PDB file of all heavy atoms in Angstrom:
ATOM      1  N   GLY A1326      95.220  80.082  37.282  1.00 94.00           N
ATOM      2  CA  GLY A1326      94.241  81.105  37.622  1.00 94.00           C
ATOM      3  C   GLY A1326      93.068  81.111  36.677  1.00 94.00           C
ATOM      4  O   GLY A1326      93.189  80.685  35.503  1.00 94.00           O
ATOM      5  N   ILE A1327      91.943  81.594  37.119  1.00 95.00           N
ATOM      6  CA  ILE A1327      90.716  81.709  36.254  1.00 95.00           C
ATOM      7  C   ILE A1327      90.827  83.144  35.621  1.00 95.00           C
ATOM      8  O   ILE A1327      90.671  84.172  36.321  1.00 95.00           O
ATOM      9  CB  ILE A1327      89.452  81.535  37.069  1.00 95.00           C
ATOM     10  CG1 ILE A1327      89.410  80.114  37.635  1.00 95.00           C
ATOM     11  CG2 ILE A1327      88.237  81.825  36.135  1.00 95.00           C
ATOM     12  CD1 ILE A1327      88.173  79.880  38.475  1.00 95.00           C
ATOM     13  N   LEU A1328      90.986  83.185  34.316  1.00 97.00           N
ATOM     14  CA  LEU A1328      91.033  84.418  33.616  1.00 97.00           C
ATOM     15  C   LEU A1328      89.643  85.090  33.446  1.00 97.00           C
ATOM     16  O   LEU A1328      89.509  86.260  33.508  1.00 97.00           O
ATOM     17  CB  LEU A1328      91.634  84.239  32.217  1.00 97.00           C
ATOM     18  CG  LEU A1328      93.143  83.785  32.160  1.00 97.00           C
ATOM     19  CD1 LEU A1328      93.493  83.454  30.739  1.00 97.00           C
ATOM     20  CD2 LEU A1328      94.031  84.878  32.691  1.00 97.00           C
ATOM     21  N   ALA A1329      88.627  84.202  33.234  1.00 97.00           N
ATOM     22  CA  ALA A1329      87.288  84.697  33.117  1.00 97.00           C
ATOM     23  C   ALA A1329      86.319  83.580  33.340  1.00 97.00           C
ATOM     24  O   ALA A1329      86.698  82.387  33.121  1.00 97.00           O
ATOM     25  CB  ALA A1329      87.040  85.366  31.735  1.00 97.00           C
ATOM     26  N   SER A1330      85.086  83.846  33.707  1.00 97.00           N
ATOM     27  CA  SER A1330      84.068  82.821  33.957  1.00 97.00           C
ATOM     28  C   SER A1330      82.764  83.307  33.373  1.00 97.00           C
ATOM     29  O   SER A1330      82.424  84.496  33.478  1.00 97.00           O
ATOM     30  CB  SER A1330      83.937  82.606  35.438  1.00 97.00           C
ATOM     31  OG  SER A1330      83.007  81.573  35.726  1.00 97.00           O
ATOM     32  N   THR A1331      82.031  82.401  32.761  1.00 97.00           N
ATOM     33  CA  THR A1331      80.754  82.792  32.165  1.00 97.00           C
ATOM     34  C   THR A1331      79.884  81.509  32.093  1.00 97.00           C
ATOM     35  O   THR A1331      80.259  80.487  32.525  1.00 97.00           O
ATOM     36  CB  THR A1331      80.907  83.390  30.792  1.00 97.00           C
ATOM     37  OG1 THR A1331      79.676  83.899  30.306  1.00 97.00           O
ATOM     38  CG2 THR A1331      81.424  82.349  29.771  1.00 97.00           C
ATOM     39  N   GLU A1332      78.572  81.741  31.592  1.00 97.00           N
ATOM     40  CA  GLU A1332      77.688  80.601  31.385  1.00 97.00           C
ATOM     41  C   GLU A1332      77.252  80.577  29.970  1.00 97.00           C
ATOM     42  O   GLU A1332      77.236  81.646  29.299  1.00 97.00           O
ATOM     43  CB  GLU A1332      76.460  80.659  32.281  1.00 97.00           C
ATOM     44  CG  GLU A1332      76.718  80.342  33.754  1.00 97.00           C
ATOM     45  CD  GLU A1332      75.402  80.275  34.547  1.00 97.00           C
ATOM     46  OE1 GLU A1332      74.346  80.755  34.021  1.00 97.00           O
ATOM     47  OE2 GLU A1332      75.383  79.729  35.657  1.00 97.00           O
ATOM     48  N   THR A1333      76.939  79.384  29.458  1.00 97.00           N
ATOM     49  CA  THR A1333      76.487  79.274  28.080  1.00 97.00           C
ATOM     50  C   THR A1333      75.015  79.813  28.006  1.00 97.00           C
ATOM     51  O   THR A1333      74.204  79.760  28.934  1.00 97.00           O
ATOM     52  CB  THR A1333      76.491  77.792  27.614  1.00 97.00           C
ATOM     53  OG1 THR A1333      75.678  77.014  28.532  1.00 97.00           O
ATOM     54  CG2 THR A1333      77.895  77.258  27.526  1.00 97.00           C
ATOM     55  N   ASP A1334      74.673  80.398  26.837  1.00 97.00           N
ATOM     56  CA  ASP A1334      73.375  80.933  26.614  1.00 97.00           C
ATOM     57  C   ASP A1334      72.425  79.846  26.105  1.00 97.00           C
ATOM     58  O   ASP A1334      72.758  78.642  26.056  1.00 97.00           O
ATOM     59  CB  ASP A1334      73.389  82.163  25.711  1.00 97.00           C
ATOM     60  CG  ASP A1334      73.959  81.825  24.316  1.00 97.00           C
ATOM     61  OD1 ASP A1334      73.961  80.632  23.912  1.00 97.00           O
ATOM     62  OD2 ASP A1334      74.303  82.802  23.589  1.00 97.00           O
ATOM     63  N   ARG A1335      71.249  80.240  25.624  1.00 96.00           N
ATOM     64  CA  ARG A1335      70.262  79.272  25.104  1.00 96.00           C
ATOM     65  C   ARG A1335      70.715  78.516  23.901  1.00 96.00           C
ATOM     66  O   ARG A1335      70.252  77.411  23.576  1.00 96.00           O
ATOM     67  CB  ARG A1335      68.959  79.997  24.753  1.00 96.00           C
ATOM     68  CG  ARG A1335      69.147  81.071  23.674  1.00 96.00           C
ATOM     69  CD  ARG A1335      67.869  81.544  23.086  1.00 96.00           C
ATOM     70  NE  ARG A1335      66.832  81.762  24.043  1.00 96.00           N
ATOM     71  CZ  ARG A1335      65.642  82.301  23.738  1.00 96.00           C
ATOM     72  NH1 ARG A1335      65.449  82.647  22.470  1.00 96.00           N
ATOM     73  NH2 ARG A1335      64.737  82.474  24.650  1.00 96.00           N
ATOM     74  N   ASP A1336      71.761  79.021  23.174  1.00 97.00           N
ATOM     75  CA  ASP A1336      72.335  78.350  22.043  1.00 97.00           C
ATOM     76  C   ASP A1336      73.558  77.543  22.420  1.00 97.00           C
ATOM     77  O   ASP A1336      74.260  76.961  21.538  1.00 97.00           O
ATOM     78  CB  ASP A1336      72.774  79.354  20.947  1.00 97.00           C
ATOM     79  CG  ASP A1336      71.537  80.097  20.442  1.00 97.00           C
ATOM     80  OD1 ASP A1336      70.506  79.435  20.177  1.00 97.00           O
ATOM     81  OD2 ASP A1336      71.674  81.340  20.198  1.00 97.00           O
ATOM     82  N   GLY A1337      73.845  77.407  23.694  1.00 97.00           N
ATOM     83  CA  GLY A1337      75.025  76.617  24.170  1.00 97.00           C
ATOM     84  C   GLY A1337      76.331  77.354  23.940  1.00 97.00           C
ATOM     85  O   GLY A1337      77.397  76.757  23.953  1.00 97.00           O
ATOM     86  N   LEU A1338      76.306  78.748  23.741  1.00 97.00           N
ATOM     87  CA  LEU A1338      77.456  79.520  23.416  1.00 97.00           C
ATOM     88  C   LEU A1338      78.008  80.243  24.611  1.00 97.00           C
ATOM     89  O   LEU A1338      77.222  80.872  25.396  1.00 97.00           O
ATOM     90  CB  LEU A1338      77.081  80.517  22.316  1.00 97.00           C
ATOM     91  CG  LEU A1338      78.119  81.555  21.942  1.00 97.00           C
ATOM     92  CD1 LEU A1338      79.366  80.952  21.376  1.00 97.00           C
ATOM     93  CD2 LEU A1338      77.541  82.627  21.043  1.00 97.00           C
ATOM     94  N   ALA A1339      79.281  80.172  24.767  1.00 97.00           N
ATOM     95  CA  ALA A1339      80.019  80.960  25.750  1.00 97.00           C
ATOM     96  C   ALA A1339      81.068  81.804  24.947  1.00 97.00           C
ATOM     97  O   ALA A1339      81.751  81.247  24.063  1.00 97.00           O
ATOM     98  CB  ALA A1339      80.666  80.115  26.800  1.00 97.00           C
ATOM     99  N   HIS A1340      81.255  83.082  25.369  1.00 97.00           N
ATOM    100  CA  HIS A1340      82.200  83.921  24.645  1.00 97.00           C
ATOM    101  C   HIS A1340      83.239  84.495  25.591  1.00 97.00           C
ATOM    102  O   HIS A1340      82.899  84.954  26.678  1.00 97.00           O
ATOM    103  CB  HIS A1340      81.470  85.078  23.906  1.00 97.00           C
ATOM    104  CG  HIS A1340      82.366  86.096  23.263  1.00 97.00           C
ATOM    105  ND1 HIS A1340      82.965  85.779  22.046  1.00 97.00           N
ATOM    106  CD2 HIS A1340      82.767  87.298  23.654  1.00 97.00           C
ATOM    107  CE1 HIS A1340      83.699  86.830  21.754  1.00 97.00           C
ATOM    108  NE2 HIS A1340      83.615  87.770  22.687  1.00 97.00           N
ATOM    109  N   PHE A1341      84.512  84.581  25.102  1.00 97.00           N
ATOM    110  CA  PHE A1341      85.599  85.227  25.830  1.00 97.00           C
ATOM    111  C   PHE A1341      86.239  86.249  24.915  1.00 97.00           C
ATOM    112  O   PHE A1341      86.586  85.900  23.781  1.00 97.00           O
ATOM    113  CB  PHE A1341      86.629  84.190  26.285  1.00 97.00           C
ATOM    114  CG  PHE A1341      86.085  83.232  27.340  1.00 97.00           C
ATOM    115  CD1 PHE A1341      85.751  81.891  26.903  1.00 97.00           C
ATOM    116  CD2 PHE A1341      85.815  83.530  28.630  1.00 97.00           C
ATOM    117  CE1 PHE A1341      85.283  80.998  27.774  1.00 97.00           C
ATOM    118  CE2 PHE A1341      85.326  82.625  29.572  1.00 97.00           C
ATOM    119  CZ  PHE A1341      85.043  81.362  29.115  1.00 97.00           C
ATOM    120  N   ASP A1342      86.381  87.463  25.411  1.00 96.00           N
ATOM    121  CA  ASP A1342      86.974  88.555  24.593  1.00 96.00           C
ATOM    122  C   ASP A1342      88.403  88.202  24.186  1.00 96.00           C
ATOM    123  O   ASP A1342      89.159  87.501  24.902  1.00 96.00           O
ATOM    124  CB  ASP A1342      86.929  89.856  25.317  1.00 96.00           C
ATOM    125  CG  ASP A1342      85.500  90.392  25.510  1.00 96.00           C
ATOM    126  OD1 ASP A1342      84.626  89.990  24.703  1.00 96.00           O
ATOM    127  OD2 ASP A1342      85.279  91.123  26.466  1.00 96.00           O
ATOM    128  N   SER A1343      88.787  88.784  22.991  1.00 94.00           N
ATOM    129  CA  SER A1343      90.125  88.478  22.457  1.00 94.00           C
ATOM    130  C   SER A1343      91.273  88.909  23.380  1.00 94.00           C
ATOM    131  O   SER A1343      92.331  88.261  23.429  1.00 94.00           O
ATOM    132  CB  SER A1343      90.265  89.181  21.125  1.00 94.00           C
ATOM    133  OG  SER A1343      90.108  90.566  21.267  1.00 94.00           O
ATOM    134  N   GLY A1344      91.049  89.938  24.197  1.00 95.00           N
ATOM    135  CA  GLY A1344      92.184  90.411  25.062  1.00 95.00           C
ATOM    136  C   GLY A1344      92.586  89.333  26.076  1.00 95.00           C
ATOM    137  O   GLY A1344      93.764  89.283  26.484  1.00 95.00           O
ATOM    138  N   LEU A1345      91.647  88.495  26.448  1.00 96.00           N
ATOM    139  CA  LEU A1345      91.936  87.398  27.392  1.00 96.00           C
ATOM    140  C   LEU A1345      92.886  86.369  26.820  1.00 96.00           C
ATOM    141  O   LEU A1345      93.515  85.581  27.542  1.00 96.00           O
ATOM    142  CB  LEU A1345      90.652  86.755  27.846  1.00 96.00           C
ATOM    143  CG  LEU A1345      89.711  87.644  28.655  1.00 96.00           C
ATOM    144  CD1 LEU A1345      88.326  86.933  28.797  1.00 96.00           C
ATOM    145  CD2 LEU A1345      90.226  87.968  29.998  1.00 96.00           C
ATOM    146  N   LEU A1346      92.944  86.306  25.486  1.00 94.00           N
ATOM    147  CA  LEU A1346      93.815  85.321  24.824  1.00 94.00           C
ATOM    148  C   LEU A1346      95.181  85.824  24.484  1.00 94.00           C
ATOM    149  O   LEU A1346      95.987  85.069  23.920  1.00 94.00           O
ATOM    150  CB  LEU A1346      93.108  84.870  23.540  1.00 94.00           C
ATOM    151  CG  LEU A1346      91.665  84.415  23.673  1.00 94.00           C
ATOM    152  CD1 LEU A1346      91.069  84.029  22.301  1.00 94.00           C
ATOM    153  CD2 LEU A1346      91.569  83.189  24.633  1.00 94.00           C
TER     154      LEU A1346
END
Side-chain angles (χ1 to χ4, degrees):
I1327 298 177
L1328 295 172
S1330 181
T1331 188
E1332 285 189 346
T1333 56
D1334 61 18
R1335 59 166 43 175
D1336 297 318
L1338 171 65
H1340 175 77
F1341 296 103
D1342 291 336
S1343 59
L1345 296 168
L1346 306 178

